[in-house]
Amino acid sequence: QEPEGIAVAYDGGPPILTDAKLPLHPGSITLLEAPSGEGKSTVLQAEAGVLPLAARQTKGMSATASQRGVEVVYAPSGVGALNPVRKVGAQLRQTLRTHGASASRADLERIITSVGLDASVVDMYPGELSGGMARRASLVLALATPARILLLDEPTGGLDRDASQVVCDALAERAAQGTAIAIATHDMRLLEAADLAADGVAHERPFGEVPVRRCVLHSGRIMDGRSADLHLAENHPELLEEASRD
């Protein structure tokens, strides 16, 4: 029997998620699209079991419920995911050592530069990072774990095309090793490429040959991207326009 989707409400209000089922498959990437405030981050937090105190899961069980701890990692966007009083390199070293991995200076610099950051970020505090740098530093901590499921909130947000592609390359490499990755995103380059791939159209592939699926969160439910487009075009064209501008 297929498990029921997740429902989540904040502070006793109506559910922001009503029946959310996030598709997660080893070796593939799921892109989750929705207007700001619709609940994309809440979906990832619920899947990772890290909902904020104001939120309450009222129904369902996440797809990752049996894979806690090192198996599942949620990477929030921005500097809030990082300890403000410890250098980025120190946080990365601790993560590596926690999972029994080598944590030499060379290891730290190799991992930091794999997402397009300069090696000098090893010696920087989170408060010294720009928004785009902080997102990538948060991503680095996730990539340094052996997690089989990565839940990433806007990892390419605020990045230019070249910097975004470096991040996509790192994620594609990880997915090719069998990791299931879900990305909450507004990045139209990634979303449009996923649609073109589904249509079999020759195009740019930000994630190379890794399978990519676009989903849309609408009214508390997660829908296949094309199905959601048809539904919104017929019933809520103003929301489709908003999502394209967001």
Side-chain angles (χ1 to χ4, degrees), residues 75-159:
S77 63
V79 71
L82 304 169
N83 185 331
V85 299
R86 299 191 68 200
K87 292 180 179 179
V88 173
Q91 296 181 60
L92 177 55
R93 181 180 290 109
Q94 179 180 8
T95 300
L96 291 169
R97 287 177 174 171
T98 296
H99 299 290
S102 175
S104 68
R105 174 77 187 201
D107 292 320
L108 301 184
E109 292 184 353
R110 173 181 54 79
I111 297 172
I112 286 286
T113 57
S114 71
V115 295
L117 292 171
D118 189 86
S120 63
V121 170
V122 169
D123 298 313
M124 298 175 69
Y125 288 95
E128 299 177 290
L129 306 178
S130 68
M133 293 169 69
R135 280 189 173 90
R136 284 177 284 176
S138 176
L139 175 60
V140 158
L141 296 183
L143 292 174
T145 73
R148 295 176 60 189
I149 297 176
L150 295 179
L151 307 171
L152 311 176
D153 203 345
E154 297 282 1
T156 63
L159 303 182

Side-chain angles (χ1 to χ4, degrees), residues 221-234:
R221 300 171 63 94
I222 295 175
M223 308 171 66
D224 174 76
R226 289 302 200 197
S227 298
D229 290 345
L230 290 173
H231 172 78
L232 293 174
E234 292 175 358

Side-chain angles (χ1 to χ4, degrees), residues 3-8 18-20 46 57-63 65:
E4 62 180 348
I6 294 171
V8 174
T18 57
D19 188 27
Q57 186 169 322
T58 60
K59 186 186 77 169
M61 178 177 291
S62 72

